[in-house]
Amino acid sequence: MSTNIDHIKEEHHHQPSGLMRWITTTNHKDIGSLYLWFSLLMFFIGGFMALIIRAELFQPGLQLVVPGFFNQMTTMHALIMIFGALMPAFVGLANWQLPMMIGAPDMALPRLNNWSFWILPFAFAMLISTLFFESGGPAAGWTLYPPLSLQGGNSMPFVIFSLHLLGASSILGAINVIATILNMRAPGMTLMKMPIFVWTWLITAFLLIAAMPVLAGAITMLLTDRFYGTSFFTAAGGGDPVLFQHIFWFFGHPEVYILILPAFGIISTIIPAFSRKKLFGYDSMVYATASIALLSFIVWAHHMFTVGMPLAGEIFFMFTTMLIAVPTGVKVFNWVATMWKGSMTFETPMLFSLAFIILFTIGGFSGLMLAITPADFQYHDTYFVVAHFHYVLVPGAIFAVIAAVYYWLPKWTGKMYNETLGKVHFWMTTVFVNITFFPMHFVGLAGMPRRIPDYAVQFTDFNMIASVGAFGFGLSQLLFVYILFQTLRQPVTAADKSWEGAEGLEWTLPSPAPYHSFDTPPKVD
Amino acid sequence: MASVRSTITKLSIVVVAMYGFSYALVPIYDTFCEITGLNGKTNDVAYTGNDIKKENRFVKIKFISNVANSAPLYFEPAVTEMTVQVGKPYNTHYVMKNNSSKQLHTTASPSVTPGKYAEYFKKIECFCFNQQTINSGEIKDLGIQFVVDDDLPTNIGDIVLSYTMFDITNNVMESSKL
């Protein structure tokens, strides 16, 4: 019945059709879909750049690209994957899920929501266009360290302006998320009754609001150093390049938790659903997430142990970094305890979540190794670091996004994906992700530096294995796209509650979810 | 929705404050480095005090030089090391030659290693307090007068004084155009 009412409403709204519907939409589901499709597109563009990198590194020597272009690829791959693929994917999931999960009709600021999304295509068009400049795109690494970034070509102001736009988009999105969660919850839903995904996004949004303006400040200083004669970071005028690293990582470390906390929320939603048990230790999950967020602001200098810090500083940053393992350990413990004696089944979202727990933990452990200051002098700027952060971001954050898409796809579309193909996708992805990134630990420990187009011959074997894995991983994701389109062509058959063990307000809505989520707030006991 | 509006206002204040904080980090960092003696920054205005007493102990000072970004300059210390008496003023100089075919503007940035002894190395006069203008082919002696503070801890190794010379001709030209 409610579907009928919604149909009448939609007609009543006189929505523009075709392209204008998507440009002018203020609906949280439309905008969520836009974010997710955009993120998928960026994932493939960034992935294509990664394959250029891996193709060049298949064997030592220079085969395919010149070193300058190689450096542009490493820089752009990182910027596109972080700001284009992962962050928009999580914002897209937030748009789709938050109003449904808290029993609200839409986001608190729908028009702002539209703006947050539509800034992105322009920012990325500008960022990617720099690759076609005569002087090429940015090549100083995504961290934009001066003095190198100040000496780059004409791309620099364009990159900085696009980063400003991306930051503005994220801040607007974060304000919207916080305003929605704090003001629009269904009656009876106290903070400690919120679904855990809502909690992790609330904390992530606060991190965004605190960290993104600092990035904006840092890159504005770079801009004025280059064009307006200031000397924040130019040594000739009394500035200090190391200062940039401090400011950048004061943003940068919260940023990496912005990329992982929503993933924690997704895993904490899916594991209970397929274990048919309540999440173990809900309260401790909330407090662990909050402590990780707070600690992220006092650990930044572990990214720069080798710049020359006083011993007291190195010890401080070493111990605070290791402290983060405690709340993270609480989370992993809770996930395992949730599964303990549960009636588990292994559908695709659950498989991705299980792989997340194991592989993210590997990434966490290599992070602990990097936190050991004396050992870090060996690992710093090697492939070991590359292996570490790819383990937390690919089988970590990206697996969580894929799991979330499989888990909520029946709710979004009313259609069930092909379970067999989903499992094939899972196994191919998981096998290839390990073939790609596990060997990087070994070459890193043996001393292969990151961000180089050529390497010493003793690293050849492991690099060949990693390159084969990377192409396998890339091809497996084409299967993901196939599964998505195949699902969209199905007739609507999914049940309102698509998964037996699923909990939460979104499953009380029909599938596909109606255009406006909850016109009358549901009652939460 | 008054409550939504108040949430937005509060969050916007946080955004602006954090942007301001990124700029506040600049003086905080400088102060922090000054207190901890990090980065080996030395005094950038001339030392004029007279409370340093001569002591009967000696320390070896080594002089090194760098030219930033391969600027067309010859820049070397006249003597590469001196054994100096603590508390007694000394003079030395660096030699710079302009190897290019045009007039250059330069500035030098000093640094002392180990950084924690930087505060005991007092410069009474130094070319690094000013910028230099040097004609094509010209050779200049750039003088330093310094004294080692008698508060310097005992039983330390050598102190290294390094200067990096920057060619800032483009910056000077641009600002004179404005």
Side-chain angles (χ1 to χ4, degrees):
Chain A
M1 185 199 81
S2 67
T3 327
N4 275 338
I5 294 173
D6 280 301
H7 269 293
I8 295 162
K9 267 202 168 157
E10 268 176 62
E11 281 158 33
H12 181 73
H13 276 200
H14 291 299
Q15 275 194 322
S17 57
L19 189 63
M20 281 316 280
R21 169 190 167 183
W22 296 102
I23 291 177
T24 58
T25 185
T26 54
N27 179 276
H28 74 100
K29 296 191 178 77
D30 285 352
I31 294 171
S33 303
L34 285 171
Y35 265 112
L36 287 169
W37 283 117
F38 181 78
S39 147
L40 189 67
L41 176 68
M42 286 295 141
F43 179 59
F44 277 95
I45 294 177
F48 183 68
M49 292 171 172
L51 292 185
I52 293 175
I53 294 169
R54 281 318 320 173
E56 175 59 49
L57 291 176
F58 183 71
Q59 48 181 325
L62 296 175
Q63 283 87 31
L64 301 170
V65 295
V66 292
F69 186 71
F70 183 91
N71 291 343
Q72 293 170 31
M73 285 296 103
T74 53
T75 306
M76 290 292 261
H77 164 71
L79 288 173
I80 287 178
M81 284 302 196
I82 293 168
F83 293 101
L86 271 176
M87 289 169 73
F90 285 127
V91 180
L93 291 172
N95 261 297
W96 258 102
Q97 289 307 125
L98 291 183
M100 293 203 285
M101 287 178 144
I102 63 173
D106 205 307
M107 298 291 277
L109 309 157
R111 211 165 287 280
L112 195 75
N113 207 4
N114 173 292
W115 267 82
S116 314
F117 173 76
W118 280 107
I119 290 175
L120 293 181
F122 296 98
F124 278 99
M126 184 155 55
L127 183 66
I128 294 171
S129 74
T130 61
L131 284 176
F132 302 98
F133 287 11
E134 207 175 326
S135 56
W142 83 278
T143 53
L144 302 169
Y145 280 4
L148 189 57
S149 63
L150 292 172
Q151 296 159 358
N154 295 330
S155 64
M156 190 247 198
F158 292 86
V159 172
I160 287 182
F161 188 56
S162 59
L163 282 177
H164 272 137
L165 289 178
L166 297 174
S169 161
S170 301
I171 290 169
L172 296 180
I175 289 177
N176 203 352
V177 164
I178 297 175
T180 307
I181 296 175
L182 292 187
N183 299 300
M184 297 179 66
R185 294 192 308 279
M189 184 180 279
T190 57
L191 282 176
M192 289 312 274
K193 277 186 188 164
M194 293 196 309
I196 194 77
F197 179 71
V198 178
W199 252 117
T200 53
W201 239 110
L202 179 65
I203 292 167
T204 304
F206 275 108
L207 284 181
L208 277 167
I209 283 189
M212 294 310 283
V214 178
L215 173 70
I219 58 180
T220 308
M221 289 181 218
L222 276 182
L223 201 65
T224 56
D225 266 15
R226 165 110 179 228
F227 294 102
Y228 299 98
T230 59
S231 297
F232 290 106
F233 312 126
T234 36
D240 189 339
V242 175
L243 170 63
F244 178 84
Q245 302 188 18
H246 282 288
I247 303 178
F248 180 86
W249 286 113
F250 186 85
F251 142 81
H253 205 74
E255 169 68 20
V256 303
Y257 292 139
I258 289 165
L259 299 174
I260 202 66
L261 293 187
F264 288 167
I266 292 163
I267 302 306
S268 308
T269 310
I270 293 177
I271 294 281
F274 294 96
S275 307
R276 291 164 182 79
K277 275 177 67 190
K278 283 228 173 312
L279 179 66
F280 181 88
Y282 171 89
D283 291 13
S284 64
M285 278 304 209
V286 172
Y287 295 130
T289 312
S291 354
I292 293 173
L294 289 175
L295 283 172
S296 76
F297 284 102
I298 56 163
V299 298
W300 75 89
H302 67 212
H303 294 269
M304 37 190 290
F305 277 143
T306 57
V307 295
M309 263 189 285
L311 187 61
E314 307 225 314
I315 290 172
F316 173 81
F317 287 112
M318 174 166 82
F319 283 128
T320 48
T321 304
M322 290 179 166
L323 206 56
I324 297 178
V326 177
T328 314
V330 168
K331 287 185 155 294
V332 174
F333 179 88
N334 286 351
W335 289 324
V336 175
T338 306
M339 291 186 280
W340 180 254
K341 291 189 174 173
S343 313
M344 288 168 71
T345 50
F346 300 93
E347 287 86 347
T348 311
M350 182 63 164
L351 288 174
F352 273 103
S353 303
L354 290 171
F356 172 97
I357 297 177
I358 296 163
L359 298 176
F360 175 82
T361 306
I362 292 178
F365 277 133
S366 58
L368 269 179
M369 290 170 71
L370 288 163
I372 304 166
T373 311
D376 181 73
F377 278 73
Q378 167 72 11
Y379 309 148
H380 188 85
D381 263 351
T382 67
Y383 257 82
F384 191 78
V385 178
V386 178
H388 157 68
F389 67 72
H390 279 96
Y391 257 88
V392 288
L393 289 179
V394 184
I398 289 179
F399 270 32
V401 173
I402 295 175
V405 170
Y406 279 119
Y407 182 66
W408 280 307
L409 201 57
K411 175 53 60 188
W412 298 340
T413 62
K415 299 160 188 180
M416 193 49 111
Y417 62 87
N418 182 324
E419 189 61 55
T420 314
L421 282 181
K423 283 190 170 128
V424 172
H425 174 224
F426 165 75
W427 284 110
M428 286 175 69
T429 305
T430 305
V431 168
F432 281 121
V433 92
N434 284 295
I435 294 177
T436 310
F437 297 115
F438 213 81
M440 293 184 184
H441 290 112
F442 305 134
V443 287
L445 288 179
M448 179 173 161
R450 62 190 284 208
R451 290 174 175 155
I452 50 157
D454 187 9
Y455 51 84
V457 286
Q458 71 264 32
F459 304 130
T460 310
D461 293 347
F462 282 134
N463 270 292
M464 281 185 169
I465 296 172
S467 291
V468 170
F471 278 86
F473 181 84
L475 291 174
S476 317
Q477 303 325 305
L478 295 177
L479 178 61
F480 181 50
V481 177
Y482 174 78
I483 294 171
L484 289 179
F485 280 102
Q486 196 207 33
T487 309
L488 291 177
R489 283 203 311 269
Q490 304 281 321
V492 173
T493 51
D496 291 356
K497 192 175 167 185
S498 319
W499 309 104
E500 192 194 353
E503 300 261 356
L505 287 176
E506 74 264 38
W507 305 108
T508 64
L509 290 167
S511 295
Y515 200 60
H516 296 280
S517 296
F518 287 96
D519 283 335
T520 42
K523 193 98 182 82
V524 180
D525 312 312
Chain B
M1 293 289 270
S3 56
V4 172
R5 192 158 300 147
S6 108
T7 311
I8 298 170
T9 315
K10 283 178 206 153
L11 293 175
S12 307
I13 292 169
V14 177
V15 170
V16 174
M18 287 310 291
Y19 186 76
F21 179 69
S22 70
Y23 278 84
L25 280 171
V26 179
I28 291 172
Y29 177 77
D30 279 346
T31 316
F32 187 79
C33 287
E34 212 177 288
I35 294 168
T36 57
L38 217 62
N39 282 359
K41 277 193 181 172
T42 53
N43 53 317
D44 50 7
V45 287
Y47 170 75
T48 52
N50 53 3
D51 53 339
I52 296 181
K53 287 184 287 292
K54 214 183 280 186
E55 280 188 10
N56 194 21
R57 59 188 174 115
F58 293 84
V59 60
K60 193 190 276 180
I61 311 279
K62 292 184 173 175
F63 299 90
I64 58 174
S65 66
N66 294 290
V67 177
N69 303 327
S70 318
L73 292 167
Y74 169 89
F75 177 63
E76 293 287 341
V79 287
T80 53
E81 56 180 67
M82 294 167 82
T83 302
V84 303
Q85 189 179 359
V86 171
K88 183 180 166 190
Y90 285 84
N91 285 301
T92 183
H93 67 274
Y94 277 64
V95 181
M96 176 162 71
K97 183 182 179 212
N98 180 351
N99 289 328
S100 78
S101 55
K102 55 184 178 119
Q103 189 190 57
L104 294 179
H105 298 271
T106 63
T107 185
S109 166
S111 165
V112 166
T113 306
K116 56 186 166 184
Y117 302 133
E119 57 177 309
Y120 305 110
F121 188 90
K122 306 279 191 199
K123 286 171 294 181
I124 300 161
E125 187 49 64
C126 176
F127 60 92
C128 58
F129 297 152
N130 306 300
Q131 297 180 357
Q132 295 82 37
T133 307
I134 184 163
N135 291 317
S136 170
E138 189 186 354
I139 298 172
K140 264 193 173 176
D141 285 352
L142 305 170
I144 316 161
Q145 188 178 30
F146 65 91
V147 58
V148 176
D149 198 329
D150 56 347
D151 292 336
L152 182 77
T154 51
N155 292 326
I156 64 160
D158 302 345
I159 292 176
V160 181
L161 174 64
S162 154
Y163 283 100
T164 303
M165 189 58 83
F166 294 89
D167 173 11
I168 52 164
T169 311
N170 290 340
N171 304 13
V172 172
M173 290 301 164
E174 265 172 39
S175 51
S176 64
K177 253 186 272 172
L178 287 175

